[in-house]
Amino acid sequence: MDFSTSYKFERPPIFGKNMVASSQPLATQAGLKILEKGGNAIDAVIAAAAVLTVVEPTGNGLGSDANAIIFDGKKIQAINGTGYSPAGWTTKRFSLMKKMPLFGWDSVTVPGAVKLWWHLSKRFGRMSFPDLFESAIYYATNGYTVGSKIAYEWSRYIHYIKNPSESFKEEFYPPPKVGNMVMRTNLAGTLEEIATTGYHSFYEGAIASEIVNQSNQEGGVMSIDDLAAHDSEWITPIRVGFRHVEMLEMPPNTQGIYALVALGILNYLPIAELDSTDFYHYQIEAMKLSFNLCEKFIGDPDFIEFRFDDHFNSDALSAYAAQINRSANSICRFSPDESKDTVYLAAADASGFMASFIQSNYLGFGSGVVINNRGIALQNRGAGFSLEPGSPNRVGPRKRPFHTIIPGMVTEDGRPLMVFGVMGGPMQAQGHLQLLDRVITHDLNPQAACDAPRWQVTEGGDVIVESTFPNEIARELVSRGHSISYETDTLLFGGAQVIKKFKEGYVAGSDPRKDGCAAGF
C-alpha cells in the first residue's frame, strides 16, 4: 500500500484493530465507546448514526432514510431502509405540477432510518438497543459544540426553507456560529422514547400519531397505515468485478448501478498513470456513459424488473468500453438531482464485523417539516420521484423513489476488504468511482484517496473540478473536448469515509471536506 503519495490536506491514515469513521468526531467517539464496551461494528454504527441525528442536522435526522451493507463475520447482507410514498400520492395529486415539490408534506415519504436501526440491532447487535442511544441523548440534552463545516452548511441550508414554521425555527434558528453550543431538548425526549420502545412509537404509537395529526393539519396525506406498513427489506447487493476485487452496491431504487457500470466499463479501459490526463479522462467518460445507460433501470423494484447481469455482463461492459477513445463524448443525458448532503459512516471490529452505513434527509434539513415538540425534521425524499409518464420512477402510491444513498463494500476472494462511502447526492456514485480507482488500481492508502482532488459530471455532461485540481490537466482535458470549470464550493464534492483491511487490523481515512474523523484502537 502506498503511504508516500499525498495531496494538499495531508491528513495521516489511521490504524487499529477496531475502527469507526464518520463525518463528526462526537459520532466517531460514540461508536468507539460502544466497541470498547464489547459491542460490535453494527452496534457502533447505530450509536454513531443516532449521534449524527443530533450533531449534524444539516444532512440527516430521525426523519431520514438509511441503507447499509453488513458483514457479520460469515455473510454479506444488505438492508434497504428507504421509505414508501403515502397511499394518497396518486398521479392525480401531482397532475398539475411541472416537477415534484422539494418542500412541504408533498415531499415527505415514510422515514426509514429508525426501523432500519432496530432491524440491524435485533439481527446483529451484542448491546441492548437502549444502550446504543446513550451518547445521542447526552448530546441532545446537554449540548455539543458546532464545528466549522457543519456551521457553514447550517447557515447555507437553513435559507433553503422559505417561510419556516415555528417548529422549524424553534429547532434550527438562529444558525449557530463555529464554536457555539447547541442543545436539542425536544429531540432528546424523542430519542429516549425510541430507545425504550424500539420502532413501535415511531411507526405505530405516540410519535406516529403526532406525525399523522400534523400532516392532517398542514395539508399532507400521511396516514397511520402508511407508517405502520413500512418495513426495511433485506436484499442482495449487486456487484461487478474491478481489477482484482469485486465492488458491491445497493440495487435500484438507488443509484448504485451508476457506480457499478462505470467501474465495469473502466475495468476494460487501459490502466492510466495516477493523476495523468488519461486517468481523469477515462473516469469521466466511463461515468458519462454509465449515466446514459442506466437511468431507465432505476425505480422501485416492486414496480420494475431488473437483473444487473442481464444487462451488464462482462461482454456488454467490454463493448461499452470500446466506445470510449481519447476524445470526450459530448452527449450525456445526465440531469443531476437536487440533493446536497447526507451522512456516511463505517465501522469494523476485531472479530471481523464490518458495516457500511448511510442515512440522509436528501436536501439539507429536508422538507422543512419539523414535528412539533419532537425535534424530528422529516426528509424530502419524495422529490426524487419523476412526473414523466412511463418513467420507472414515476410518482405513485406506496412506492419508493429514486435514492442517492449508496453505502459501498469491496470484496477480495469473496471476503470483505473495504467499506466506504462518499456523501453528497449526485457526487456519490461519481465519488465511488474515483476513490476506488485510486485505492484499488493505484494502491493509495484510504486517507490519500480521500484527500485527492475530485471532479463531478453535471447537467448535460459538463464537468466541474475543485480548486485543488491540477490546472495543466484541466487544460489538457479541455483540449480533448471536455467542458471543464473550477468550483470553489467544497460541498459539491462530497465527503468520504473509508475503512480497509490492513495486516492484523484496519487502516482508515476521513474526508477533510467534513468535520469528521477516523479513529480506532
Side-chain angles (χ1 to χ4, degrees), residues 98 385-395:
K98 293 183 178 180
F385 278 120
S386 169
L387 294 176
E388 290 296 319
S391 168
N393 186 43
R394 189 181 186 187
V395 67

Side-chain angles (χ1 to χ4, degrees), residues 41-275:
I42 288 81
D43 293 315
V45 293
I46 298 169
V51 169
L52 286 172
T53 68
V54 180
V55 302
E56 196 170 350
T58 50
N60 80 125
L62 291 180
S64 289
D65 275 351
N67 284 328
I69 303 178
I70 301 297
F71 179 65
D72 66 357
K74 298 178 182 178
K75 182 180 179 182
I76 296 169
Q77 300 179 62
I79 184 168
N80 184 331
T82 64
Y84 292 82
S85 57
W89 277 23
T90 61
T91 52
K92 182 179 179 181
R93 183 174 179 85
F94 299 91
S95 61
L96 299 179
M97 299 180 184
K98 293 183 178 180
K99 62 186 297 187
M100 287 296 297
L102 262 178
F103 303 105
W105 281 99
D106 279 347
S107 70
V108 178
T109 51
V110 174
V114 170
K115 203 158 198 179
L116 180 140
W117 294 349
W118 184 84
H119 277 297
L120 287 177
S121 177
K122 182 180 180 182
R123 180 170 291 199
F124 300 115
R126 292 178 189 155
M127 307 281 286
S128 73
F129 195 64
D131 287 343
L132 305 180
F133 290 82
E134 181 181 314
S135 292
I137 293 168
Y138 176 85
Y139 293 123
T141 303
N142 298 290
Y144 63 96
T145 303
V146 177
S148 60
K149 303 293 173 57
I150 293 174
Y152 170 67
E153 292 173 8
W154 202 312
S155 65
R156 178 172 176 171
Y157 292 152
I158 203 166
H159 297 299
Y160 289 6
I161 310 299
K162 308 303 181 185
N163 302 314
S165 66
E166 288 304 314
S167 57
F168 184 92
K169 288 190 284 188
E170 179 184 0
E171 198 65 30
F172 299 120
Y173 273 76
K177 294 183 172 19
V178 179
N180 284 173
M181 181 71 74
V182 171
M183 289 186 291
R184 302 189 60 193
T185 53
N186 287 337
L187 187 61
T190 306
L191 286 164
E192 288 174 351
E193 191 162 336
I194 292 168
T196 302
T197 69
Y199 70 83
H200 296 284
S201 180
F202 196 95
Y203 294 94
E204 300 168 359
I207 298 173
S209 295
E210 292 171 42
I211 292 172
V212 170
N213 289 341
Q214 190 166 327
S215 173
N216 291 338
Q217 292 167 10
E218 297 175 353
V221 292
M222 186 77 71
S223 71
I224 284 289
D225 287 344
D226 291 326
L227 290 164
H230 167 77
D231 206 358
S232 306
E233 182 181 4
W234 294 100
I235 59 173
T236 302
I238 52 176
R239 61 186 70 206
V240 75
F242 180 70
R243 313 305 186 209
H244 59 284
V245 302
E246 276 196 318
M247 176 65 193
L248 278 62
E249 294 277 7
M250 303 291 293
N253 55 313
T254 80
Q255 64 172 330
I257 183 177
Y258 286 148
L260 284 195
V261 172
L263 284 163
I265 292 170
L266 189 63
N267 195 48
Y268 291 96
L269 291 170
I271 294 178
E273 180 185 352
L274 180 68
D275 293 321

Side-chain angles (χ1 to χ4, degrees), residues 240-243 258-270 282-283 285-291 293-294 308 312-314 316-324 433:
V240 75
F242 180 70
R243 313 305 186 209
Y258 286 148
L260 284 195
V261 172
L263 284 163
I265 292 170
L266 189 63
N267 195 48
Y268 291 96
L269 291 170
Y282 288 142
Q283 288 180 353
E285 289 300 290
M287 196 76 247
K288 287 162 62 177
L289 184 51
S290 177
F291 285 138
L293 292 167
C294 295
F308 183 82
F312 300 110
N313 57 32
S314 57
L317 292 168
S318 176
Y320 290 131
Q323 298 177 20
I324 295 175
L433 168 72

